[in-house]
Amino acid sequence: MINIQSDEPRYRKKSKKRGEPRAKHKHEYKNCVFQYPSIRFDKAHGMVNDVIKHSIGTYCPVCGKIGDVTDTSWQISERGYVGITVRWNDAALSEFDARTRTLPLFVLDDQWFPKSIPGYENGIIAQ
Ligand SMILES: [Zn+2]
């Protein structure tokens, strides 16, 4: 026997909060440089990740959430004989160089970008 004692309506109104992002702020993405090792195949050693790569992407300075791993507005695409080649523009190359860099640099463990910058809290990276 089913005994319903609750006065609650059978179908609850959907909570407005459901589905909203957990963050209490609106992410505002800013450019940054990501540095990460890229995996390559070496005949003698198999898969090695000794190639250091850079990318200009975006992150939220408040929480460290990564927006884009590649900001294509810093890239140039050129049509050539082998199809379209995409490369970083001069401004990007100057950001990849530690001597001329103006953007914040984030070093990642591998080429599989996480959703957020590891250890990033309140604008400070714990290292
Ligand atoms: Zn954020």
Side-chain angles (χ1 to χ4, degrees):
M1 186 177 156
I2 299 165
N3 186 8
I4 299 169
Q5 291 183 321
S6 169
D7 291 330
E8 279 186 67
R10 196 165 166 186
Y11 298 102
R12 290 188 196 197
K13 279 184 187 172
K14 275 185 186 172
S15 166
K16 278 183 181 175
K17 280 186 178 172
R18 200 164 286 177
E20 276 179 16
R22 263 179 284 171
K24 290 189 174 127
H25 62 278
K26 192 173 180 291
H27 302 299
E28 286 192 34
Y29 295 106
K30 294 211 158 62
N31 277 129
C32 64
V33 179
F34 295 116
Q35 180 179 298
Y36 57 98
S38 182
I39 293 169
R40 68 179 177 89
F41 184 75
D42 182 277
K43 274 184 184 169
H45 304 99
M47 301 301 267
V48 290
N49 57 351
D50 58 358
V51 182
I52 298 300
K53 288 201 168 183
H54 290 95
S55 174
I56 290 187
T58 59
Y59 79 112
C60 173
V62 179
C63 64
K65 188 173 161 52
I66 295 176
D68 294 313
V69 297
T70 303
D71 184 343
T72 53
S73 65
W74 293 72
Q75 291 183 322
I76 300 167
S77 23
E78 290 167 332
R79 190 179 289 274
Y81 293 109
V82 290
I84 293 168
T85 311
V86 178
R87 64 175 177 87
W88 294 103
N89 65 20
D90 288 346
L93 296 178
S94 124
E95 291 297 336
F96 295 164
D97 188 333
R99 292 164 298 180
T100 48
R101 184 178 300 136
T102 61
L103 296 174
L105 173 82
F106 298 113
V107 179
L108 302 174
D109 290 337
D110 54 43
Q111 64 186 350
W112 318 113
F113 282 68
K115 286 203 168 90
S116 304
I117 294 157
Y120 192 99
E121 272 177 42
N122 305 317
I124 298 160
I125 302 176
Q127 284 184 334

